Amino acid sequence: MCPSPRLSFVLLPVILLGCGTKKQRDEVAVGSASGAPAMTADASTAVTTDTVEIFVDAVSVGKVTRAQLDGWPRVDTLVPVEARRLGTWMNVKLIGRAPTATDLAKPSASHPDKVPVLFPGEGGAPSFGMFDPVELAKKGQPAVREDGVREVRISLSTSERGGDHQGGAGEGADPMKIIVKIKTPSGDKELTGEKILSLPREPQPGNEETKGWRVTQFLDAVGVTKYQSLVLIDAGGTTLPLDKKELDPATANPFIKLNKQGHLRFRMFTKQRDGWQPGADLRQLVTIQVK
């Protein structure tokens, strides 16, 4: 009987591996079906494969097939539930066609608004990327990319296994299905996720890497140009009233970004001397009332 791994596995949408020794798990057959010898897979082995094997703390948890790559799966959805919080990932080692492995140390800290994804690269070969959620929804370009990946080896923190850590815990909602209701005195309007993702973005105050929209862009997108005040409402019913004076672009930035969970997060930034001070926060904006 095989020893039980330290992680309790769940049924994953990948090809689960059978038991065996570590040497057997780390070997990739590069010969023919007639019995050619196998070659040990390491960072310098030039092996071409259509699958990507995923490891958590040196334990293989499955393989992602070529067909599954076409769905651009997030890597944090392909591991056991207890390993899905990106904030507990201390290192991600990428092994592939490069002569040496690539290490991403604390990816959630070094790329706080990005998510890890496997996707088909050049010629359909497996690639790994850290994607902005908007770029992922549009199947665009990653901020960090490694082509020809054969293995993704995740090392977890030994001290941060529970609680609410930085980063998400698995796949988020589909941004294309977002609908923001905009209620005006002349009638209700809707702004779809597809339209939102097509709007130009700007950097978040104080963070050039994080990009999003001003709330006024949402109003412009549905033809609302006149208002005296707004009330923003999140999915939990929390309301945030904003007077027109509070929306002066010279002193305020009512900023909205698409977060890792696939929701629209609102954050108010106000000008303070040479910087910007974060203020009111809504985690899932769903409605804007115009008055």
Side-chain angles (χ1 to χ4, degrees), residues 42-46 95-102 146:
D42 57 31
S44 62
T45 304
I95 299 176
R97 66 190 183 195
T100 58
T102 297
E146 184 76 14

Side-chain angles (χ1 to χ4, degrees), residues 21 36 54 79 90 134 145-146 153 170 173 189 196 217 235 281:
T21 66
I54 300 176
V79 298
M90 296 302 293
V134 171
R145 176 174 183 151
E146 184 76 14
R153 292 179 171 266
K189 304 175 184 293
I196 291 170
Q217 287 180 263
D281 186 354

Side-chain angles (χ1 to χ4, degrees), residues 73-80 83-86 89 115-116 168-171:
R74 282 177 52 164
V75 179
D76 49 330
T77 69
L78 304 176
V79 298
R84 291 183 180 179
R85 288 204 173 275
L86 300 178
W89 293 16
V115 293
E171 189 170 7

Side-chain angles (χ1 to χ4, degrees), residues 119-182:
F119 64 101
E122 295 183 5
S127 292
F128 173 95
M130 294 293 294
F131 279 83
D132 170 279
V134 171
E135 285 297 312
L136 175 58
K138 298 191 295 186
K139 291 183 168 55
Q141 295 299 317
V144 175
R145 176 174 183 151
E146 184 76 14
D147 294 319
V149 173
R150 291 186 291 108
E151 296 180 7
V152 177
R153 292 179 171 266
I154 302 164
S155 298
L156 301 179
S157 168
T158 58
S159 60
E160 298 180 351
R161 292 297 174 89
D164 185 17
H165 303 292
Q166 182 181 10
E171 189 170 7
D174 183 354
M176 291 295 185
K177 296 181 180 179
I178 289 175
I179 295 179
V180 176
K181 296 180 180 179
I182 300 179

Side-chain angles (χ1 to χ4, degrees), residues 202-214 249 251-257 267-272 274-279:
E202 63 180 67
Q204 174 181 297
N207 187 341
E208 290 293 320
E209 286 194 9
T210 299
K211 292 180 171 55
W213 311 270
R214 292 176 183 255
T251 59
N253 188 330
F255 191 81
I256 300 171
K257 74 172 185 178
R267 196 78 179 269
M268 174 60 84
F269 291 88
T270 54
K271 189 75 171 177
Q272 299 288 335
D274 296 330
W276 292 88
Q277 180 69 33

Side-chain angles (χ1 to χ4, degrees), residues 172-174 177-181 218 232-239 255-259 261-267 281-288:
D174 183 354
K177 296 181 180 179
I178 289 175
I179 295 179
V180 176
K181 296 180 180 179
F218 285 18
L232 308 186
I233 305 172
D234 73 6
T238 302
T239 61
F255 191 81
I256 300 171
K257 74 172 185 178
L258 181 68
N259 65 16
Q261 289 72 42
H263 304 314
L264 295 173
R265 182 174 182 178
F266 172 85
R267 196 78 179 269
D281 186 354
L282 295 176
R283 292 189 174 273
Q284 188 177 351
L285 177 66
V286 294
T287 303
I288 301 174

Side-chain angles (χ1 to χ4, degrees), residues 180-190 219 222 224 227 229-231 233 286-291:
V180 176
K181 296 180 180 179
I182 300 179
K183 299 183 176 182
T184 75
S186 60
D188 294 350
K189 304 175 184 293
E190 289 187 346
L219 302 181
V222 296
V224 175
Y227 57 90
S229 64
L230 303 175
V231 178
I233 305 172
V286 294
T287 303
I288 301 174
Q289 290 183 350
V290 180
K291 298 182 179 181

